[in-house]
Every structure is written in C-alpha cells, then in structure tokens.
Amino acid sequence: MKRIIIDIDIQNIIDIVKKRKGRMSAFFAKYLIKEETIREEVERRVVDEIQKGLETNLKIRLHQEGIKARVDVRQTDPSTSHNG
C-alpha cells in the first residue's frame, strides 16, 4: 500500500482569525488566548476541510477512471503517532 503524507504548518494564524472572525476576535486571540491553542484549532479546521475534499474528489476521480480502490483518508497527530 502506498501513502501520501501531507504536513501542514500554517504561518498566518492571526490573519486567518481576523478574516474569519473580525478584528476584535483577532485582538483577543492575540493577547488573551495562547497562540498554540489558536494554532491547533485553525490547523484542525484546515485539515478537516482538506480531508473532506480528498475523500470526495479522490473517490469521484478514481471511479471516473475505472479504478477500484479502497481509499482511507485519516488524520494523525505527529506528536502521538510513531508512524511518521
């Protein structure tokens, strides 16, 4: 079985919070909540969206190409995983 591993390290967490929630939320996020907590939440949401897209689009494309394959798209946390 072949694998594709995608590592995501988002560089503009505060900008994302500003865009999604407005300037006040970004202010509070920057000064009242630990950046690591915000980073984890933003990364989780991004990875959730990527996972949904991969599951849907990959299955459709494989089917269109006549490829029968089992596709397992899952999330792992490198800090708890020993596989990579």
Side-chain angles (χ1 to χ4, degrees):
M1 176 187 306
K2 299 296 180 188
R3 293 178 186 216
I4 296 173
I5 298 171
I6 301 170
D7 291 321
I8 299 173
D9 181 17
I10 299 172
Q11 302 294 310
N12 63 335
I13 297 294
I14 298 301
D15 294 336
I16 292 169
V17 173
K18 280 182 193 176
K19 183 176 180 180
R20 300 288 176 152
K21 299 289 185 183
R23 291 190 178 271
M24 288 305 292
S25 292
F27 172 81
F28 288 122
K30 187 172 183 178
Y31 295 105
L32 300 177
I33 302 173
K34 288 195 276 184
E35 185 176 345
E36 189 59 32
T37 303
I38 298 166
R39 174 175 299 283
E40 288 173 5
E41 179 65 17
V42 170
E43 286 180 348
R44 183 189 61 78
R45 289 182 183 202
V46 168
V47 171
D48 286 348
E49 289 301 313
I50 291 171
Q51 181 179 6
K52 285 183 217 172
L54 282 173
E55 287 173 344
T56 302
N57 295 321
L58 187 57
K59 288 176 184 177
I60 290 169
R61 285 293 294 151
L62 290 173
H63 180 72
Q64 289 172 342
E65 296 294 327
I67 299 170
K68 293 180 181 179
R70 229 175 334 130
V71 178
D72 179 26
V73 180
R74 62 182 167 219
Q75 297 179 36
T76 61
D77 183 353
S79 65
T80 59
S81 174
H82 299 291
N83 297 5

